[in-house]
Amino acid sequence: MTRIGSMFPEIWKHLFKKRATVLYPFERLNVPKDLRGKPILDEQKCSLKCKGACAIDCPAKAIVMEKVEEKGSRPVFLLDRCTFCGQCSESCPFGAIKLSEEFELAQYDRKSLVSKQW
Amino acid sequence: MPAENEIQDKLKGAFGERISELKTTRGRRVFVRVPPSLVKEVISYLKQDLGMTHITTITATDVGEEIEVLYHFLCRGVTVSLRTSVPKANPAIDTITPIIPGAVLYEREIQDLLGLKVKGHPDPRRLVLPEDWPEGVYPLRKEYKVKVEEG
Amino acid sequence: MSVSIPIGPQHPALKEPVNLTVTLDGEKIVDIDMRLGYNHRGIEKGSESRNYIQNIYLTERICGICNVAHTTTFCQGVEELLGLEVPKRGLFIRTLLCELNRIHSHLLWLGVAGHEIGFDTLFMYSWRDREIVMDLIEIVSGNRVNIAINAIGGVRRDVSDDMRAQILQGISQLEARSQYYLDVASTEVTFLRRTEGVGKLPKEKAIELCAVGPFARASGVEYDVRKDDPFAAYPYLDFKVRTSDRCDVLGTAIVRALEIVESCKMCRQVIEELPAGEIKAKAPRKVPPGEVVSKTEAPRGELIHYIRSNGTDRPERLKVRAPTLANIPSVLYSLRGGYIADIPIVFAAIDPCMACMDRVILLDTDHGKTKRVMTWEELRQHGMEWYADRKG
């Protein structure tokens, strides 16, 4: 049985409902817990001695190890390359990297996306 | 009897010493090596006697002095992988499109990316590389090194 | 006298570029040829210089819509090379995300098909319902696209109890909506006119040209890797393989709508039967030498990864055959004998993920060298107007 205009009842019902589009950035949605956002380094836990397990496994080459005096090296995150996959957090043997829920990271200048958190 | 063991036994029975490295690594997988001259005969046997209906893809790998070509077929739920090797200096192989028309794009791909010469192919144009790509340069061969540019 | 039309690769609006050359006789298509490769990124070569963990993320980016299928196939293959057994809970969570991804892909397709024939209402409403699925995926994995839930040895994140409650609620909403879309697709006259009898592909030709996925199942070919070569948790689930005997574009729409309903049932089964236990087994970094053929059912059809390892932590060879490539000879066959106005919808029927057409350049060999360039937008408009004039 064919008919025409079968979506009209649906459209009529939706005229009285709330709009489905969210006017971002004027309205913001709550993000779920454990959203994969910007990586955060916990300085206390980072051992300085490992050869950069996080940098070896990063698929986007977004972590560079920078020397810290004579003690070893710590990671610096290049947020313009980071894909927010979370592999650095899993590869770190000391649990020093966690992904936060911050995702609004856009900047005008590439240099301001180099995140040195120590 | 599981399907892969049945297929293995039938292949051994039909071709005996002419095929080698016949193995079943796990359920529904069979691997076998055939010489290049026997490829079309084995594929016709698979189609007529073992109910092969579908070719999944054709893989070609550079193993040094030779190029190894693997045909992956589907026979009654079992993936049968037929392996054959051709020398890199003269990588010629016959087309299988008269037996399986669906293999036409896969043969173009290995011709384009690895330099295999598929004899008798109905449409031997490039598949993925651009028209102005230099002749004789095959990206998937081990000699071809990728230049890394840090951006 | 026949006219040859090259359809070029530059297009500002839609997905990926492809080039078609169409030979016409009036408005009927006599022959059609395709040129691919505009989106070739060298992923197979790139995978040889990355270790297995980095390769999970590289294979994920082969396709944005079927990304779970690519990581599942890759991780499954490496697990087989390592001889690793994935804990049951990990397999169930993997399957849950495969099915949620399939629902998302089919709802996206429904919207795109509606858009190609000018039925923008269907487009907007099905994409709004797609947001339900994307929110569920975000809750479980932390991201809407590029889900990255798979790791070698299992999955990376667990499903908690309130996530389970939210997923069940979302699934009930989706089931109701997909029944509604099935109803619209099979009875709405505007949809039927553009899709019934269009792009016919008989069953024997579908088997001969090795078509896969919902496109082949719409021609009656019963081939689904989830039933014939089960992987992940599919051996424990109870579901039907949906086919249709229509052999045309309407058949593909009906098969996809029925598959959304089946996937909702499967997700419900997975959530209700989720076993307790670990989600991941520890995997070594170096993989012993060997080779493996790994197959799964992506939303678009059968996906295969062939991996060869050499004892180091990098693969020797990775070969990927995405399902759209397998469907191209069949779609070119089904377009012959059709009208130029049918090109957008018939091409959309294979749900192209790797190849999509762009600008139509009309080269009139009859009248010399006049070239008229039509954009994709103009081709869609032409299709809608042509049908409106023809059938009143």
Side-chain angles (χ1 to χ4, degrees), chain A residues 8-24:
Chain A
F8 274 121
E10 190 74 18
I11 301 174
W12 181 249
K13 243 192 326 179
H14 279 89
L15 277 176
F16 306 106
K17 284 196 187 166
K18 200 169 80 104
R19 177 182 39 213
T21 318
V22 172
L23 292 173
Y24 182 86

Side-chain angles (χ1 to χ4, degrees), chain C residues 63-305:
Chain C
C63 174
I65 309 177
C66 338
N67 53 78
V68 184
H70 280 285
T71 50
T72 305
T73 326
F74 183 73
C75 290
Q76 218 167 254
V78 181
E79 282 153 15
E80 199 182 309
L81 283 171
L82 287 169
L84 206 59
E85 205 188 300
V86 179
K88 222 166 152 189
R89 189 178 174 96
L91 287 176
F92 270 67
I93 298 178
R94 210 180 249 186
T95 313
L96 172 70
L97 273 135
C98 273
E99 289 306 310
L100 283 175
N101 199 232
R102 192 180 313 272
I103 296 174
H104 159 240
S105 174
H106 287 336
L107 277 174
L108 189 147
W109 179 84
L110 202 62
V112 167
H115 182 64
E116 297 297 358
I117 60 179
F119 195 173
D120 275 337
T121 310
L122 182 64
F123 173 40
M124 293 298 171
Y125 278 72
S126 59
W127 279 42
R128 190 228 23 212
D129 291 323
R130 190 177 144 244
E131 291 296 315
I132 305 175
V133 153
M134 300 206 83
D135 286 338
L136 289 179
I137 293 178
E138 195 181 25
I139 291 168
V140 178
S141 71
N143 202 344
R144 282 157 58 101
V145 188
N146 287 338
I147 290 166
I149 190 98
N150 279 319
I152 299 177
V155 295
R156 296 162 73 195
R157 291 167 80 127
D158 205 353
V159 170
S160 69
D161 285 328
D162 27 86
M163 275 188 213
R164 286 169 75 166
Q166 278 175 303
I167 294 176
L168 283 174
Q169 192 195 18
I171 298 282
S172 324
Q173 274 179 298
L174 281 168
E175 252 178 328
R177 296 303 301 168
S178 51
Q179 283 290 7
Y180 173 71
Y181 291 124
L182 182 59
D183 188 45
V184 165
S186 40
T187 57
E188 170 66 46
V189 164
T190 41
F191 194 82
L192 291 175
R193 260 193 205 162
R194 289 298 300 271
T195 56
E196 209 170 6
V198 165
K200 292 199 89 71
L201 181 73
K203 185 174 174 178
E204 311 76 48
K205 267 296 179 189
I207 297 178
E208 189 188 308
L209 294 172
C210 303
V212 295
F215 184 61
R217 292 199 277 278
S219 295
V221 178
E222 258 198 63
Y223 177 44
D224 188 335
V225 183
R226 297 175 291 171
K227 267 281 188 241
D228 300 330
D229 191 0
F231 56 99
Y234 290 104
Y236 308 110
L237 297 180
D238 180 28
F239 63 100
K240 291 200 252 309
V241 173
R242 296 294 185 173
T243 59
S244 162
D245 288 320
R246 297 197 54 102
C247 304
D248 59 12
V249 173
L250 181 62
T252 62
I254 292 181
V255 164
R256 286 189 172 102
L258 287 170
E259 280 191 2
I260 302 179
V261 178
E262 271 315 299
S263 292
C264 291
K265 290 199 197 116
M266 278 194 255
C267 288
R268 190 172 278 127
Q269 269 183 60
V270 165
I271 293 284
E272 281 161 9
E273 296 171 21
L274 193 63
E278 293 290 311
I279 52 173
K280 188 164 118 117
K282 186 114 181 36
R285 292 178 76 101
K286 292 209 164 106
V287 177
E291 64 186 347
V292 68
V293 169
S294 176
K295 279 165 116 167
T296 56
E297 180 83 10
R300 282 156 185 74
E302 170 203 40
L303 173 65
I304 181 172
H305 281 212

